[in-house]
Amino acid sequence: MHLSPPPAVSAAAVPDDAFVLDVREVHEWDAGHVAGARHIPMSTLLERIDEVPHDTRVYVMCRVGGRSAQVTHYLGQQGWDAINVDGGMLAWEAAGRPMVSETQTAPAVV
C-alpha cells in the first residue's frame, strides 16, 4: 500500500511561535535543534504521545523529512493537526533559521 505524502511546509514558512516536534535521535538533537522545540525521538513517540498538544498545529521535524513524514502521517490519522517540515533540519539550517545546541559547540545538523 502506498501512502500519499502528508501535508508539508517549507522550513522558511514555519511560524516563529510554532510548536515544533523534533523526532530525531538524542545525538542529533544535542548537536543542533530549533529553540523551543519539543524533542521526542520517533522510537519513543507512542509512550510519550501525551506530550504532543492537540490544541495547536504540530510542525514535525527530523534531519531531512523521512522520519517526520511518517510521524506526521501517524499523528494525522490520530486526529492531530500535523504538518511535515519539508527538508527537515537541513532545510531549516539552509534557510538561515535560528538553532541552538546542547553542547559547547556551535549548533550543527548531524
Side-chain angles (χ1 to χ4, degrees), residues 13-85:
V14 176
D16 289 339
D17 62 348
F19 181 90
V20 175
L21 173 62
D22 190 320
V23 299
R24 297 175 301 150
E25 295 302 316
V26 173
H27 73 279
E28 295 174 288
W29 166 266
D30 287 350
H33 58 269
V34 176
R38 178 73 50 91
H39 180 226
I40 304 177
M42 184 173 159
S43 60
T44 65
L45 180 66
L46 294 182
E47 63 203 52
R48 296 178 60 192
I49 198 76
D50 292 344
E51 296 178 40
V52 182
H54 269 285
D55 59 351
T56 189
R57 173 168 278 174
V58 177
Y59 291 83
V60 188
M61 174 91 74
C62 68
R63 184 171 186 270
V64 294
R67 287 170 286 179
S68 56
Q70 293 176 55
V71 171
T72 300
H73 184 78
Y74 173 79
L75 291 174
Q77 285 182 317
Q78 306 306 312
W80 270 270
D81 178 9
I83 190 161
N84 191 29
V85 179

Side-chain angles (χ1 to χ4, degrees), residues 86-101:
D86 201 25
M89 283 300 299
L90 289 175
W92 186 271
E93 183 179 48
R97 301 294 303 264
M99 298 182 348
V100 296
S101 76

